[in-house]
PDB file of all heavy atoms in Angstrom:
ATOM      1  N   TYR A  69     -66.080  32.901   0.284  1.00  0.00           N
ATOM      2  CA  TYR A  69     -65.733  31.789  -0.592  1.00  0.00           C
ATOM      3  C   TYR A  69     -66.249  32.111  -2.006  1.00  0.00           C
ATOM      4  O   TYR A  69     -67.076  33.010  -2.199  1.00  0.00           O
ATOM      5  CB  TYR A  69     -66.330  30.487  -0.092  1.00  0.00           C
ATOM      6  CG  TYR A  69     -67.837  30.424  -0.126  1.00  0.00           C
ATOM      7  CD1 TYR A  69     -68.523  29.906  -1.244  1.00  0.00           C
ATOM      8  CD2 TYR A  69     -68.603  30.868   0.946  1.00  0.00           C
ATOM      9  CE1 TYR A  69     -69.907  29.849  -1.275  1.00  0.00           C
ATOM     10  CE2 TYR A  69     -69.999  30.817   0.917  1.00  0.00           C
ATOM     11  CZ  TYR A  69     -70.636  30.310  -0.192  1.00  0.00           C
ATOM     12  OH  TYR A  69     -72.003  30.244  -0.234  1.00  0.00           O
ATOM     13  N   ALA A  70     -65.737  31.369  -2.977  1.00  0.00           N
ATOM     14  CA  ALA A  70     -66.194  31.479  -4.353  1.00  0.00           C
ATOM     15  C   ALA A  70     -66.802  30.163  -4.784  1.00  0.00           C
ATOM     16  O   ALA A  70     -66.337  29.099  -4.403  1.00  0.00           O
ATOM     17  CB  ALA A  70     -65.023  31.851  -5.269  1.00  0.00           C
ATOM     18  N   PRO A  75     -67.640  22.806 -12.365  1.00  0.00           N
ATOM     19  CA  PRO A  75     -67.191  21.890 -11.302  1.00  0.00           C
ATOM     20  C   PRO A  75     -65.799  21.299 -11.588  1.00  0.00           C
ATOM     21  O   PRO A  75     -65.475  21.005 -12.745  1.00  0.00           O
ATOM     22  CB  PRO A  75     -68.262  20.788 -11.304  1.00  0.00           C
ATOM     23  CG  PRO A  75     -69.468  21.459 -11.877  1.00  0.00           C
ATOM     24  CD  PRO A  75     -68.949  22.418 -12.889  1.00  0.00           C
ATOM     25  N   ALA A  76     -65.019  21.133 -10.549  1.00  0.00           N
ATOM     26  CA  ALA A  76     -63.704  20.505 -10.668  1.00  0.00           C
ATOM     27  C   ALA A  76     -63.822  18.997 -10.416  1.00  0.00           C
ATOM     28  O   ALA A  76     -64.779  18.536  -9.789  1.00  0.00           O
ATOM     29  CB  ALA A  76     -62.744  21.115  -9.638  1.00  0.00           C
ATOM     30  N   PRO A  81     -64.664   9.094  -2.710  1.00  0.00           N
ATOM     31  CA  PRO A  81     -65.534   7.906  -2.889  1.00  0.00           C
ATOM     32  C   PRO A  81     -66.989   8.300  -2.734  1.00  0.00           C
ATOM     33  O   PRO A  81     -67.325   9.363  -2.212  1.00  0.00           O
ATOM     34  CB  PRO A  81     -65.076   6.965  -1.747  1.00  0.00           C
ATOM     35  CG  PRO A  81     -63.749   7.507  -1.298  1.00  0.00           C
ATOM     36  CD  PRO A  81     -63.787   8.969  -1.557  1.00  0.00           C
ATOM     37  N   PRO A  96     -44.184  30.026   3.562  1.00  0.00           N
ATOM     38  CA  PRO A  96     -44.181  30.173   5.020  1.00  0.00           C
ATOM     39  C   PRO A  96     -45.576  30.093   5.623  1.00  0.00           C
ATOM     40  O   PRO A  96     -45.743  29.632   6.747  1.00  0.00           O
ATOM     41  CB  PRO A  96     -43.539  31.554   5.224  1.00  0.00           C
ATOM     42  CG  PRO A  96     -43.732  32.285   3.949  1.00  0.00           C
ATOM     43  CD  PRO A  96     -43.687  31.240   2.869  1.00  0.00           C
ATOM     44  N   PRO A 103     -49.702  22.600  11.183  1.00  0.00           N
ATOM     45  CA  PRO A 103     -50.125  21.912  12.427  1.00  0.00           C
ATOM     46  C   PRO A 103     -51.616  22.019  12.673  1.00  0.00           C
ATOM     47  O   PRO A 103     -52.254  21.063  13.115  1.00  0.00           O
ATOM     48  CB  PRO A 103     -49.316  22.633  13.509  1.00  0.00           C
ATOM     49  CG  PRO A 103     -48.132  23.198  12.801  1.00  0.00           C
ATOM     50  CD  PRO A 103     -48.650  23.595  11.457  1.00  0.00           C
ATOM     51  N   SER A 109     -57.865  18.000  10.436  1.00  0.00           N
ATOM     52  CA  SER A 109     -58.185  16.881   9.565  1.00  0.00           C
ATOM     53  C   SER A 109     -58.412  15.589  10.334  1.00  0.00           C
ATOM     54  O   SER A 109     -59.248  14.752   9.955  1.00  0.00           O
ATOM     55  CB  SER A 109     -57.065  16.671   8.520  1.00  0.00           C
ATOM     56  OG  SER A 109     -55.858  16.261   9.140  1.00  0.00           O
ATOM     57  N   VAL A 123     -49.047  22.687  -5.262  1.00  0.00           N
ATOM     58  CA  VAL A 123     -49.269  23.537  -6.429  1.00  0.00           C
ATOM     59  C   VAL A 123     -47.957  23.821  -7.156  1.00  0.00           C
ATOM     60  O   VAL A 123     -46.863  23.579  -6.657  1.00  0.00           O
ATOM     61  CB  VAL A 123     -49.904  24.885  -6.018  1.00  0.00           C
ATOM     62  CG1 VAL A 123     -51.233  24.657  -5.304  1.00  0.00           C
ATOM     63  CG2 VAL A 123     -48.935  25.707  -5.149  1.00  0.00           C
ATOM     64  N   PHE A 129     -41.469  24.925  -9.088  1.00  0.00           N
ATOM     65  CA  PHE A 129     -42.209  24.246  -8.026  1.00  0.00           C
ATOM     66  C   PHE A 129     -42.297  22.736  -8.239  1.00  0.00           C
ATOM     67  O   PHE A 129     -42.596  21.995  -7.315  1.00  0.00           O
ATOM     68  CB  PHE A 129     -43.643  24.780  -7.952  1.00  0.00           C
ATOM     69  CG  PHE A 129     -43.806  26.157  -7.425  1.00  0.00           C
ATOM     70  CD1 PHE A 129     -42.973  27.201  -7.807  1.00  0.00           C
ATOM     71  CD2 PHE A 129     -44.850  26.462  -6.560  1.00  0.00           C
ATOM     72  CE1 PHE A 129     -43.148  28.477  -7.327  1.00  0.00           C
ATOM     73  CE2 PHE A 129     -45.037  27.754  -6.079  1.00  0.00           C
ATOM     74  CZ  PHE A 129     -44.186  28.768  -6.470  1.00  0.00           C
ATOM     75  N   PRO A 131     -40.213  20.135  -8.679  1.00  0.00           N
ATOM     76  CA  PRO A 131     -39.502  19.159  -7.862  1.00  0.00           C
ATOM     77  C   PRO A 131     -40.193  18.884  -6.519  1.00  0.00           C
ATOM     78  O   PRO A 131     -40.238  17.730  -6.036  1.00  0.00           O
ATOM     79  CB  PRO A 131     -38.144  19.791  -7.659  1.00  0.00           C
ATOM     80  CG  PRO A 131     -37.926  20.599  -8.911  1.00  0.00           C
ATOM     81  CD  PRO A 131     -39.287  21.162  -9.191  1.00  0.00           C
ATOM     82  N   LEU A 145     -45.227   9.583   3.652  1.00  0.00           N
ATOM     83  CA  LEU A 145     -45.763  10.889   4.031  1.00  0.00           C
ATOM     84  C   LEU A 145     -45.999  11.041   5.541  1.00  0.00           C
ATOM     85  O   LEU A 145     -45.640  12.085   6.108  1.00  0.00           O
ATOM     86  CB  LEU A 145     -47.049  11.169   3.264  1.00  0.00           C
ATOM     87  CG  LEU A 145     -46.923  11.886   1.926  1.00  0.00           C
ATOM     88  CD1 LEU A 145     -48.311  12.108   1.342  1.00  0.00           C
ATOM     89  CD2 LEU A 145     -46.185  13.200   2.048  1.00  0.00           C
ATOM     90  N   ALA A 155     -37.293  21.068   7.286  1.00  0.00           N
ATOM     91  CA  ALA A 155     -36.048  21.189   6.534  1.00  0.00           C
ATOM     92  C   ALA A 155     -36.002  22.539   5.797  1.00  0.00           C
ATOM     93  O   ALA A 155     -34.958  23.214   5.793  1.00  0.00           O
ATOM     94  CB  ALA A 155     -35.890  20.052   5.554  1.00  0.00           C
ATOM     95  N   GLU A 159     -34.388  24.521   8.981  1.00  0.00           N
ATOM     96  CA  GLU A 159     -33.012  24.186   8.640  1.00  0.00           C
ATOM     97  C   GLU A 159     -32.506  24.934   7.402  1.00  0.00           C
ATOM     98  O   GLU A 159     -31.352  24.831   7.055  1.00  0.00           O
ATOM     99  CB  GLU A 159     -32.893  22.674   8.431  1.00  0.00           C
ATOM    100  CG  GLU A 159     -33.263  21.880   9.695  1.00  0.00           C
ATOM    101  CD  GLU A 159     -33.474  20.406   9.413  1.00  0.00           C
ATOM    102  OE1 GLU A 159     -33.254  19.964   8.259  1.00  0.00           O
ATOM    103  OE2 GLU A 159     -33.857  19.700  10.353  1.00  0.00           O
ATOM    104  N   ARG A 160     -33.418  25.660   6.740  1.00  0.00           N
ATOM    105  CA  ARG A 160     -33.070  26.503   5.598  1.00  0.00           C
ATOM    106  C   ARG A 160     -32.474  25.708   4.421  1.00  0.00           C
ATOM    107  O   ARG A 160     -31.552  26.154   3.734  1.00  0.00           O
ATOM    108  CB  ARG A 160     -32.110  27.630   5.995  1.00  0.00           C
ATOM    109  CG  ARG A 160     -32.624  28.504   7.095  1.00  0.00           C
ATOM    110  CD  ARG A 160     -33.912  29.184   6.707  1.00  0.00           C
ATOM    111  NE  ARG A 160     -34.391  30.081   7.777  1.00  0.00           N
ATOM    112  CZ  ARG A 160     -35.589  30.682   7.765  1.00  0.00           C
ATOM    113  NH1 ARG A 160     -36.435  30.432   6.782  1.00  0.00           N
ATOM    114  NH2 ARG A 160     -35.961  31.484   8.740  1.00  0.00           N
ATOM    115  N   ASP A 179     -34.628   4.582   1.054  1.00  0.00           N
ATOM    116  CA  ASP A 179     -33.919   3.908  -0.027  1.00  0.00           C
ATOM    117  C   ASP A 179     -33.862   4.863  -1.218  1.00  0.00           C
ATOM    118  O   ASP A 179     -34.856   5.060  -1.911  1.00  0.00           O
ATOM    119  CB  ASP A 179     -34.665   2.618  -0.402  1.00  0.00           C
ATOM    120  CG  ASP A 179     -33.963   1.822  -1.480  1.00  0.00           C
ATOM    121  OD1 ASP A 179     -33.253   2.407  -2.311  1.00  0.00           O
ATOM    122  OD2 ASP A 179     -34.180   0.590  -1.535  1.00  0.00           O
ATOM    123  N   TYR A 187     -39.724   8.727  -8.196  1.00  0.00           N
ATOM    124  CA  TYR A 187     -39.674  10.137  -8.537  1.00  0.00           C
ATOM    125  C   TYR A 187     -39.734  10.390 -10.038  1.00  0.00           C
ATOM    126  O   TYR A 187     -40.365  11.328 -10.511  1.00  0.00           O
ATOM    127  CB  TYR A 187     -38.374  10.706  -7.929  1.00  0.00           C
ATOM    128  CG  TYR A 187     -38.208  12.204  -7.965  1.00  0.00           C
ATOM    129  CD1 TYR A 187     -38.676  12.996  -6.909  1.00  0.00           C
ATOM    130  CD2 TYR A 187     -37.507  12.831  -8.981  1.00  0.00           C
ATOM    131  CE1 TYR A 187     -38.478  14.377  -6.908  1.00  0.00           C
ATOM    132  CE2 TYR A 187     -37.301  14.192  -8.987  1.00  0.00           C
ATOM    133  CZ  TYR A 187     -37.791  14.977  -7.946  1.00  0.00           C
ATOM    134  OH  TYR A 187     -37.589  16.333  -7.931  1.00  0.00           O
ATOM    135  N   ALA A 193     -45.392  11.551 -12.585  1.00  0.00           N
ATOM    136  CA  ALA A 193     -45.571  12.574 -13.620  1.00  0.00           C
ATOM    137  C   ALA A 193     -47.059  12.812 -13.868  1.00  0.00           C
ATOM    138  O   ALA A 193     -47.503  13.981 -14.042  1.00  0.00           O
ATOM    139  CB  ALA A 193     -44.880  12.157 -14.901  1.00  0.00           C
ATOM    140  N   SER A 232     -60.427  30.929  10.112  1.00  0.00           N
ATOM    141  CA  SER A 232     -61.740  31.082   9.549  1.00  0.00           C
ATOM    142  C   SER A 232     -61.946  30.200   8.323  1.00  0.00           C
ATOM    143  O   SER A 232     -63.056  29.756   8.034  1.00  0.00           O
ATOM    144  CB  SER A 232     -61.985  32.546   9.176  1.00  0.00           C
ATOM    145  OG  SER A 232     -62.055  33.375  10.333  1.00  0.00           O
ATOM    146  N   LEU A 240     -69.172  24.902   3.988  1.00  0.00           N
ATOM    147  CA  LEU A 240     -69.333  24.465   2.599  1.00  0.00           C
ATOM    148  C   LEU A 240     -69.605  22.969   2.512  1.00  0.00           C
ATOM    149  O   LEU A 240     -70.371  22.506   1.645  1.00  0.00           O
ATOM    150  CB  LEU A 240     -68.090  24.816   1.800  1.00  0.00           C
ATOM    151  CG  LEU A 240     -67.836  26.330   1.637  1.00  0.00           C
ATOM    152  CD1 LEU A 240     -66.484  26.555   0.944  1.00  0.00           C
ATOM    153  CD2 LEU A 240     -68.962  27.017   0.878  1.00  0.00           C
ATOM    154  N   LYS A 246     -76.242  18.915   1.431  1.00  0.00           N
ATOM    155  CA  LYS A 246     -77.613  19.209   1.043  1.00  0.00           C
ATOM    156  C   LYS A 246     -77.826  19.055  -0.469  1.00  0.00           C
ATOM    157  O   LYS A 246     -78.961  19.131  -0.937  1.00  0.00           O
ATOM    158  CB  LYS A 246     -77.971  20.645   1.473  1.00  0.00           C
ATOM    159  CG  LYS A 246     -77.956  20.852   2.981  1.00  0.00           C
ATOM    160  CD  LYS A 246     -78.214  22.314   3.317  1.00  0.00           C
ATOM    161  CE  LYS A 246     -78.108  22.546   4.828  1.00  0.00           C
ATOM    162  NZ  LYS A 246     -78.279  24.004   5.145  1.00  0.00           N
TER     163      LYS A 246
END
Side-chain angles (χ1 to χ4, degrees):
Y69 67 91
S109 65
V123 301
F129 289 43
L145 270 181
E159 300 166 4
R160 304 300 182 189
D179 182 333
Y187 189 89
S232 293
L240 295 174
K246 296 175 184 177

